[in-house]
Amino acid sequence: THEQAAAVPSAGLTAWTALSLGDLVEREGAVNKVVIIGASGGVGSLAVQIAKRHFGAYVVGVCGPKHRDLVLSLGADEVVDYTKKNLRKRCVHLRNFDLVLDCVGLDDYWEIFGREVLGSSGRYIALNALQEKSEEQVENETRAEGGGGPTTLPGW
C-alpha cells in the first residue's frame, strides 16, 4: 500500500543516522565490524544493507530463525539466532566490534553485545531506550568500568 511504502524512507533515514553516529570509516580497505540487533525489521534490514554496501563492514545480524535467509541475502556475513539457548556462549567469538546497532532495546542485549562485543572505542546505539535501567544508570555503571555507554537516538 501507499502507507507502507511511505514508511520506507523513515526506516532508511533512521538506519543511516544510527550508522553515521557509529563513526564507521568510509574508505576502501577499512574493515568496520558491526552487529545489528533486529536485523530483519524495517530499520535493521536497511541498516544491514547500508553497513555492508556503503561502509564495507563485516556485518553480524541478530534475528529469529525464520528470517535467517533474508538477513543473509541482504548482505550479513553471519547471523545469530537470538531464540537459541546460551546466546552469551554463542557470541563469545564476537569481539572488538566498532558498532552495535540495537533496534530492539533489551537490557539482555546490552549485557551481551555492549559489554562483551564492543572494542574499547566501539559504540552501542539503541533505537529504543533500555528497559530496566535508566540510560543514566547504565552510563554511570559503564563509566565505572572504563567503557562507553549506549547512545539512544532522541525521539525513539
Side-chain angles (χ1 to χ4, degrees), residues 51-112:
K52 187 66 179 182
R53 290 179 179 87
H54 180 75
F55 291 105
Y58 179 86
V59 178
V60 175
V62 179
C63 64
K66 293 189 307 187
H67 303 287
R68 179 184 185 281
D69 291 340
L70 167 68
V71 172
L72 288 170
S73 75
L74 295 173
D77 297 287
E78 184 178 342
V79 172
V80 174
D81 177 355
Y82 73 91
T83 66
K84 289 185 179 177
K85 291 183 179 180
N86 299 319
L87 181 59
R88 186 180 303 267
K89 284 183 183 178
R90 289 185 297 106
C91 293
V92 74
H93 69 287
L94 303 175
R95 292 291 181 262
N96 298 315
F97 272 66
D98 302 296
L99 173 64
V100 174
L101 173 55
D102 184 351
C103 301
V104 179
L106 296 176
D107 285 331
D108 290 343
Y109 294 140
W110 163 246
E111 291 299 323
I112 295 168

Side-chain angles (χ1 to χ4, degrees), residues 10-23:
S10 294
L13 183 57
T14 301
W16 176 260
T17 301
L19 291 169
S20 296
L21 287 172
D23 289 336

